[in-house]
């Protein structure tokens, strides 16, 4: 069973559902030739997609185009349905940095045919996750530098202030559709600069105040 582990405590949560936002940074929507959404674009990954710091992402045999997407991850600490925006932060337990690894060739094909993204986004090892920190360690989650390096070279660099939907807006919207539960994760979308990685590459994702996540590509 996948667990959320914490850097500063022995606390562990079993991972529940993983709700991901697409197109939550305008510059990324633009690079994907997609419109900036009026409501959050949501998709799910299974908890079996989680791997931790020091693990590998395994490219499935049926894909030849694996992309990195570095994202802030919100760890849900309290269950709720139809959570009002002004109460949303009470449901946040902490933060982590994650990678929404994406089979871009499979996703492009699915988009073309109007099919779901589950395979492109939810395959085994598609959700590397750092140790989390409790929210008390993060002064302002809407002002954190976020960076991804591949083999030591910066590929993605932005700040969570550039997110289109705030954490409060995401939680209010998501919980109007899916009841949120303790241990659920929200992958909050990636900034611009997504691109391909190949077997042997080393990825290092960093979120200010939260920490670093290192994974290899296999
Ligand atoms: Mg993403």
């Amino acid at each position: 069973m996948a667990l959320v582990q914490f850097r500063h405590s022995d606390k562990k949560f079993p991972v529940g559902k993983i709700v991901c936002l697409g197109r939550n940074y305008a510059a990324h929507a633009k690079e994907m030739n997609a419109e900036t959404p009026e409501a959050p674009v949501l998709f799910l990954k299974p908890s079996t997609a989680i791997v931790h710091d020091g693990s590998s992402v395994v490219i499935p045999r049926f894909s030849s185009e694996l992309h990195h997407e570095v994202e802030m991850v919100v760890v849900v600490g309290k269950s709720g349905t139809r959570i009002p925006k002004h109460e949303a932060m009470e449901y946040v337990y902490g933060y982590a940095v994650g990678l929404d690894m994406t089979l871009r060739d499979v996703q492009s094909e699915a988009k073309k045919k109007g099919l779901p993204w589950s395979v492109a986004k939810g395959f085994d090892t598609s959700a590397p996750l750092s140790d989390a920190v409790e929210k008390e360690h993060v002064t302002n989650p809407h002002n954190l530098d976020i960076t991804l390096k591949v083999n030591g070279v910066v590929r993605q660099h932005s700040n969570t202030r550039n997110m289109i939907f705030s954490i409060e807006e995401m939680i209010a919207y998501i919980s109007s559709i899916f009841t949120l539960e303790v241990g659920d994760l929200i992958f909050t979308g990636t900034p611009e600069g997504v691109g391909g990685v190949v077997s042997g590459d080393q990825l290092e994702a960093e979120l200010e105040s939260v920490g670093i996540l290192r994974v290899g590509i296999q």
Side-chain angles (χ1 to χ4, degrees), residues 21 43 69 71 100 121 190:
L21 272 83
F43 59 91
E69 298 192 356
E71 313 200 353
D100 167 19
K121 292 287 198 179
T190 197

Side-chain angles (χ1 to χ4, degrees), residues 106-120:
V106 176
Q107 187 194 31
S108 300
E109 196 61 23
K111 281 183 178 174
K112 223 183 291 169
K113 294 180 176 166
L115 295 172
W117 297 0
S118 307
V119 175

Side-chain angles (χ1 to χ4, degrees), residues 35-48:
E35 284 173 20
T36 305
E38 281 170 27
V41 174
L42 302 183
F43 59 91
L44 299 171
K45 288 182 190 256
S47 60
T48 45

